[in-house]
């Protein structure tokens, strides 16, 4: 197949890691793969196989080029959105794909707008909880209309599928997955570190403010424990200020984004997921696969599909006091904690990477073949060497 993959960027969290890995593996399985992003690659970007054609449009989410000022009026914003959609349509058409795969809500809508009436099969994938991830009044309305045009909509969990079925009759579930690690957490070293680790964008939905509050409460009698947050975002200063106000500044670190993340997760005594909502948290899968004892709030979508409470990880109510109590329990009960880490490694059997790629490949092949004889694909031209 000739597959065009679309995502906003290759820098950031779980969705970007899955898309990069998926594009690489589909290419290695013999498919002709291109990958379109709005943002150009930078030092934080994930690596892509040399044979995957890259198209970086250098646009932000409002459609403006990197060097332009922000739009001053609604008319300017509409013009910029139209410009973005037009550019995206031209790039995808020049690549002449058999099928298009798009990740993340706003990118999905742009792709569907760009390809309206063009006869190309499109698979769009929600990478968060669509019931909680609001796009604003206009874009929420657009999602309810445009998703009906997608050939297939992919949800991460059955709960998300139930929500998306109001927009589409063609919703399937493909959970995220994790590759088998090449090594595991050295628990003797990790336990001695007395470190709780979390990772993700420093934005409100990740709940890092309540993690900081829970950590401060849980470690009142354990001043030798520290908290490390990997990631970056708009709340960095606010979170740093909160840690200072709670008196834990000397036990709190925010190193930013690191690549690869796995070695840093492996050094954690405990991994913690504090999100208000999730899609299917890859970082939780990754920490469990390494044998790191993990605790998560029972937020909407994701963690409850992954965690068997008390066996492979610890699941607590979706509130700060419960998270603090859970952290304190795992600090005080090392034997239970390490048993969770041991059984957490079994997560690979349920959510192995190759199984996920198989499911995407099968679904893409099915929708591609269903439109193989359509007029829009009858006289496709060879795509250019680059964009």
């Amino acid at each position: 197949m000739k597959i065009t993959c679309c995502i906003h960027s290759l820098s950031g969290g779980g969705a970007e890691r899955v898309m990069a890995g998926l594009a690489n593996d589909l290419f290695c399985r013999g498919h002709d793969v291109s990958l379109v992003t709005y943002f150009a690659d930078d030092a934080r970007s994930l690596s892509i196989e040399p044979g995957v054609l890259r198209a970086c449009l250098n646009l932000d989410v409002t459609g403006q080029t990197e060097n332009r000022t922000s739009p001053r009026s609604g008319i300017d914003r509409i013009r910029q959105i139209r410009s973005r959609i037009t550019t995206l349509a031209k790039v995808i058409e020049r690549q002449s794909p058999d099928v298009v795969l798009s990740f993340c809500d706003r990118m999905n809508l742009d792709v569907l707008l760009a390809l309206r009436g063009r006869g190309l099969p499109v698979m769009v994938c929600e990478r968060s909880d669509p019931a909680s991830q609001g796009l604003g009044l206009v874009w929420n309305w657009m999602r309810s209309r445009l998703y009906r045009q997608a050939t297939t909509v992919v949800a991460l969990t059955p709960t998300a599928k139930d929500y998306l079925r109001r927009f589409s009759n063609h919703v399937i579930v493909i959970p995220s997955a994790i590759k088998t690690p090449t090594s595991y957490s050295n628990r003797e070293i990790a336990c001695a570190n007395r470190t709780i680790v979390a990772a993700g964008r420093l934005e409100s939905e990740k709940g890092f403010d309540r993690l900081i509050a829970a950590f401060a409460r849980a470690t009142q009698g354990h001043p030798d424990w520290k908290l490390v947050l990997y990631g970056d975002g708009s709340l960095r200063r606010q979170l740093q200020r909160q840690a200072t106000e709670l008196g834990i500044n000397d036990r709190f670190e925010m190193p930013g984004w690191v690549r690869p993340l796995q070695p840093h997760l492996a050094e954690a005594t405990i991994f913690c997921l504090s999100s208000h909502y999730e899609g299917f948290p890859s970082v939780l899968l990754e920490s469990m696969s390494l044998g790191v004892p993990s605790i998560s709030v029972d937020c909407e979508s994701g963690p409850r599909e992954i965690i068997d409470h008390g066996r492979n990880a610890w699941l607590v109510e979706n509130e700060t006091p419960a998270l603090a109590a859970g952290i304190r329990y795992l600090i005080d009960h090392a034997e239970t904690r390490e048993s969770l880490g041991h059984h957490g490694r079994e997560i690979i059997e349920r959510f192995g990477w190759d199984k996920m790629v198989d499911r995407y490949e099968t679904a893409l092949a099915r929708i591609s073949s269903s439109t193989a004889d359509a007029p829009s694909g009858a006289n496709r031209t060879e795509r250019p060497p680059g964009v």
Side-chain angles (χ1 to χ4, degrees):
M1 291 178 289
K2 296 177 71 175
I3 306 167
T4 292
C5 300
C6 302
I7 191 170
H8 53 282
S9 79
L10 289 181
S11 302
E16 292 88 340
R17 290 199 300 272
V18 173
M19 174 57 91
L22 188 57
N24 286 338
D25 282 8
L26 288 171
F27 169 76
C28 291
R29 291 185 179 199
H31 300 290
D32 187 353
V33 180
S34 56
L35 180 56
V36 179
T37 61
Y38 284 146
F39 302 113
D41 295 343
D42 57 28
R44 300 183 307 168
S45 296
L46 296 149
S47 61
I48 297 297
E49 291 285 342
V52 175
L53 176 64
R54 287 287 287 114
C56 305
L57 307 188
N58 294 323
L59 300 174
D60 69 15
V61 293
T62 63
Q64 63 194 52
T65 62
E66 290 181 331
N67 296 322
R68 292 182 187 171
T69 59
S70 298
R72 296 182 178 181
S73 68
I75 294 176
D76 288 334
R77 286 193 291 270
I78 291 172
R79 287 173 177 167
Q80 290 179 344
I81 291 170
R82 291 184 62 184
S83 175
R84 180 180 78 234
I85 300 305
T86 300
T87 301
L88 183 61
K90 289 179 179 179
V91 168
I92 294 175
E93 278 200 322
R94 288 174 63 187
Q95 294 171 359
S96 188
D98 299 314
V99 61
V100 177
L101 172 64
S102 176
F103 266 28
C104 301
D105 39 38
R106 279 293 302 273
M107 190 74 189
N108 295 343
L109 299 181
D110 286 351
V111 168
L112 290 170
L113 281 170
L115 299 181
R116 291 182 72 181
R118 299 176 190 269
L120 276 174
V122 180
M123 177 186 291
V124 299
C125 308
E126 283 278 348
R127 303 306 302 179
S128 188
D129 176 15
S132 301
Q133 180 82 358
L135 305 178
L137 184 63
V138 173
W139 289 106
N140 280 336
W141 180 84
M142 292 288 285
R143 177 166 59 182
S144 71
R145 298 300 187 270
L146 289 173
Y147 273 25
R148 304 180 195 281
Q149 301 174 20
T151 314
T152 300
V153 177
V154 178
L156 291 171
T157 65
T159 301
K161 177 182 178 180
D162 289 342
Y163 180 85
L164 291 168
R165 286 177 67 180
R166 69 187 69 183
F167 307 145
S168 171
N169 294 323
H170 307 284
V171 185
I172 62 174
V173 176
I174 304 180
S176 264
I178 189 68
K179 295 182 179 181
T180 302
T182 55
S183 60
Y184 297 96
S185 174
N186 184 319
R187 297 312 302 160
E188 183 177 354
I189 295 175
C191 288
N193 288 337
R194 294 181 176 85
T195 301
I196 296 173
V197 166
R201 291 176 294 107
L202 304 183
E203 305 296 344
S204 58
E205 66 267 22
K206 295 302 181 181
F208 290 138
D209 56 337
R210 63 178 177 177
L211 173 56
I212 292 171
F215 171 81
R217 182 183 304 186
T219 59
Q220 285 179 353
H222 298 276
D224 53 345
W225 282 71
K226 66 180 179 179
L227 174 64
V228 181
L229 303 185
Y230 291 101
D232 214 340
S234 64
L235 299 183
R236 169 176 283 274
R237 290 184 179 179
Q238 180 179 321
L239 296 173
Q240 188 68 65
R241 183 167 57 249
Q242 180 187 6
T244 301
E245 292 171 352
L246 291 172
I248 61 167
N249 193 51
D250 60 336
R251 301 188 288 125
F252 176 64
E253 299 176 12
M254 288 189 293
W257 289 113
V258 295
R259 293 279 189 269
L261 178 61
Q262 190 174 94
H264 301 279
L265 288 177
E267 294 174 351
T269 315
I270 299 169
F271 171 80
C272 184
L273 186 81
S274 57
S275 303
H276 291 283
Y277 62 90
E278 275 288 348
F280 205 89
S282 297
V283 69
L284 176 61
L285 292 175
E286 191 166 7
S287 67
M288 293 173 67
S289 73
L290 291 168
V292 177
S294 301
I295 179 173
S296 172
V297 294
D298 188 14
C299 64
E300 288 299 322
S301 186
R304 72 185 63 165
E305 304 289 334
I306 298 170
I307 292 176
D308 180 4
H309 173 64
R311 174 175 169 77
N312 64 4
W314 205 254
L315 195 64
V316 300
E317 293 181 11
N318 193 8
E319 57 185 23
T320 303
L323 181 58
I327 292 173
R328 181 59 179 263
Y329 184 86
L330 295 186
I331 288 175
D332 290 340
H333 297 81
E335 185 175 347
T336 299
R337 182 182 74 220
E338 294 308 307
S339 176
L340 297 177
H342 174 75
H343 290 291
R345 290 166 53 174
E346 299 168 1
I347 204 70
I348 289 293
E349 299 172 10
R350 293 175 56 205
F351 301 111
W353 182 266
D354 287 343
K355 292 180 182 178
M356 183 196 72
V357 179
D358 288 344
R359 296 180 70 178
Y360 271 103
E361 185 178 34
T362 299
L364 289 167
R366 183 179 65 250
I367 69 173
S368 174
S369 62
S370 68
T371 57
D373 298 325
S376 61
N379 296 298
R380 291 176 179 163
T381 59
E382 291 299 316
R383 71 177 173 183
V387 177

